[in-house]
Amino acid sequence: MVPSLRLRGRFRPWYLLDVAAFLFGAGGSLERTLAGELTRGPAAIGAITPFDVVVAVASGLLAVVVLRFTLGNVWAYAVEYANAGGRWSDLAFLLPVCGGVVALAVTYATTSNLWAAAWAGFWIFAGLAAVVAVVASVAAGYADVPA
């Protein structure tokens, strides 16, 4: 089989998000390593040790794991909500998603730390999703009780 045909069957466009997350994590790690060395110009590249490379690769892989975990949970929430008969335009669906996005934006605007913003956005999303689930469950329970 032609290699390009085999690759076409396995490659998905969203894998580019993984590559971008890896480059973001590894690049950020190398940037922090070279923060004080950049004034030396090209000689700063010599300041990178093998340990720095391992840390950069680990940071890149961690960024991919965080991306997959976050997007996977949000996507699972959306699919389960739709499978339960809801629409993605319902307030019960939009409240946690929009709350998470707002928390991400506000945290990033105040701290300029993308990791902290992603962490805050995810946990606000998860907390609001839990609150919405409990409120919907209680409301459904009271709706089934005969008057």
Side-chain angles (χ1 to χ4, degrees):
M1 179 178 271
V2 179
S4 64
L5 293 177
R6 270 188 281 161
L7 181 62
R8 191 177 321 148
R10 294 182 184 170
F11 181 76
R12 304 285 187 255
W14 56 83
Y15 291 165
L16 294 174
L17 286 175
D18 291 340
V19 172
F22 178 82
L23 291 175
F24 176 78
S29 177
L30 289 175
E31 179 189 13
R32 287 185 298 278
T33 300
L34 295 174
E37 302 290 331
L38 290 181
T39 57
R40 293 186 2 205
I45 301 300
I48 298 174
T49 65
F51 178 75
D52 295 331
V53 173
V54 170
V55 170
V57 169
S59 296
L61 293 174
L62 179 63
V64 171
V65 168
V66 168
L67 174 79
R68 285 288 184 112
F69 181 74
T70 303
L71 290 182
N73 279 304
V74 171
W75 182 251
Y77 177 74
V79 168
E80 287 300 319
Y81 188 81
N83 287 343
R87 282 179 264 154
W88 292 355
S89 59
D90 294 344
L91 181 63
F93 174 76
L94 290 176
L95 183 66
V97 173
C98 292
V101 170
V102 167
L104 186 140
V106 168
T107 304
Y108 185 72
T110 57
T111 66
S112 297
N113 185 340
L114 191 60
W115 291 106
W119 189 251
F122 174 75
W123 284 110
I124 293 297
F125 161 77
L128 287 174
V131 168
V132 166
V134 168
V135 168
S137 179
V138 168
Y142 284 120
D144 290 341
V145 175

